[in-house]
Amino acid sequence: MRLYKEIGDIENIKRLEHKFKSIKNEGAFQSFGFDLPKEEVERLNQLVKDEIDQKEEKDILTNFVFCPMYLPLNSIRENAEDWKKNAILSFMAGDKYIR
């Protein structure tokens, strides 16, 4: 698209815009996710319950922002990079290799 815009090829710009809209609206996009183990869900629920029972509103909000139940931001970024790489590899390999 960028190259067509650079050379001013209006016909191909419109063709690609139409194709992109079609893919966006009709595309079968994959979603990735996983279930947490029951023990981890129970642990997190208990942490939240304890926070609510034992702390003031201001303290709850402060803890929520800096809460130990979340991974550090750099770990989240590293995981996101790994997930992106795996998603690209899965897309390139095709659905039959993902399962």
Side-chain angles (χ1 to χ4, degrees):
M1 174 84 77
R2 180 182 56 81
L3 296 175
Y4 287 134
K5 286 181 178 179
E6 284 180 17
I7 63 173
D9 188 339
I10 303 300
E11 185 177 322
N12 276 316
I13 291 171
K14 288 181 180 180
R15 180 182 60 81
L16 284 180
E17 284 175 346
H18 176 72
K19 186 69 173 173
F20 289 151
K21 286 178 187 176
S22 172
I23 290 170
K24 180 181 171 186
N25 293 332
E26 300 167 11
F29 299 102
Q30 295 178 347
S31 63
F32 298 89
F34 62 93
D35 293 328
L36 289 173
K38 182 180 176 185
E39 297 80 21
E40 184 65 7
V41 172
E42 290 171 356
R43 182 186 77 82
L44 293 174
N45 283 338
Q46 189 61 49
L47 279 174
V48 171
K49 184 181 179 311
D50 290 347
E51 289 291 311
I52 292 169
D53 290 345
Q54 299 169 7
K55 302 207 173 165
E56 299 288 323
E57 291 174 3
K58 184 181 112 197
D59 297 324
I60 292 171
L61 289 173
T62 301
N63 256 10
F64 184 72
V65 171
F66 300 105
C67 191
M69 74 175 84
Y70 298 110
L71 292 173
L73 188 55
N74 62 337
S75 295
I76 293 171
R77 285 188 178 129
E78 288 173 12
N79 288 341
E81 287 301 316
D82 289 342
W83 293 329
K84 273 198 292 190
K85 289 176 190 171
N86 289 332
I88 290 170
L89 292 174
S90 296
F91 173 76
M92 290 172 27
D95 280 346
K96 66 182 176 180
Y97 298 106
I98 295 173
R99 302 180 203 289

